Amino acid sequence: MKRILITGAAGFIGSHLCDRFIAEGHEVIAMDNLITGDLKNIKHLFPLERFTFYNHDVTNFVYVPGKLDYILHFASPASPIDYLKIPIQTLKVGALGTHNLLGLAKEKKARFMIASTSEIYGDPLVHPQTEEYYGNVNTIGPRGVYDEAKRFQESITMAYHRFHGLDTRIVRIFNTYGPRMRLNDGRVIPAFMGQALRGEDLTVFGDGSQTRSFCYVDDEIEGIYRLLMSDYTHPVNIGNPNEITIKDFAEEIIKLTGTDQKIIYKPLPKDDPMQRQPDITKAKEILGWEPKVGREEGMRKTFEFFKGLSTEELEKTEHRDFTAHNKK
Ligand code: UDP
């Protein structure tokens, strides 16, 4: 039995990771400051003896008694609406939080993994994105607080690896979806599904020709798990290469949800990447991993989850407004 610290444990991916490590028979120490996470994602784990939760902000000194085998740093706001609302916290958790947790990993001689992101490629000029691509990021744009924090996080992790010999892993996560996504996080999947359930038209930003490649959360967790268990210390893309334009995706959602809503067009947010598709050659070769869940099946399961939310939860969704940023 291993002892694992997971930060961002009450979040979407963090909570699925907790489930996975508990299912593997390990002990999980979950940490979250609940700014964007929600205890309802992990409340089913509270009765377990092998599960402990700390309500803690990792940008402050982190103390965990006892041994730790793995530290998985998954705490961070992770949607454009969050970067606008809490930009400083986004920078701090990627920079100061990562530094604190690296110190803890060094002290405990634990393997350390960070949740990096396709956002480090920015609005990519290389397609699909390989791990060797350095990216095209606007440091001072609305997404810069996330992109640069994550780039710094990769740098400091590699510095601890090289300078202190720390055992490290870097996963670059591409758009991931599934149950427990936050309905009001402004991301396209909860946005479209919430709109369909409320009987509103689907808001496509720009002309909808921008692309994304969506990975179902079970596949993502499997990829992350395999990378952690491997001995590969350089970044690995984990995502689903099946790419679609946002306009075609909106049409798929209309079909799936069986609504008679229409598509309406809104201005494209600043620095919204035009295309995104992971090259997963490395994950295939090194981890023997590739996604198994197709978009139709994954979206169906995800819609079931959103359908299960209360009317109250459905109504409190806020709308994403980038107008102020577009003016600057
Ligand atoms: N998007 C959209 N309508 C919405 C929300 C998002 O057309 O109501 C677009 C957004 O502009 C982007 C894509 O969907 O091009 C994916 O957005 P998301 O925020 O999910 O993720 P990211 O841009 O970080 O990949």
Side-chain angles (χ1 to χ4, degrees), residues 143 175 187-188 203-205 210 212 246 272 276 320:
R143 289 172 181 254
N175 294 65
R187 289 184 162 275
V188 69
T203 52
V204 165
F205 296 162
Q210 71 272 33
R212 292 295 184 274
I246 294 300
D272 197 289
R276 188 182 283 154
R320 175 166 158 187

Side-chain angles (χ1 to χ4, degrees), residues 26 40 61 180 214 271 305:
H26 301 307
K40 74 171 187 242
F61 185 80
R180 300 186 195 154
F214 300 112
D271 298 336
F305 165 77

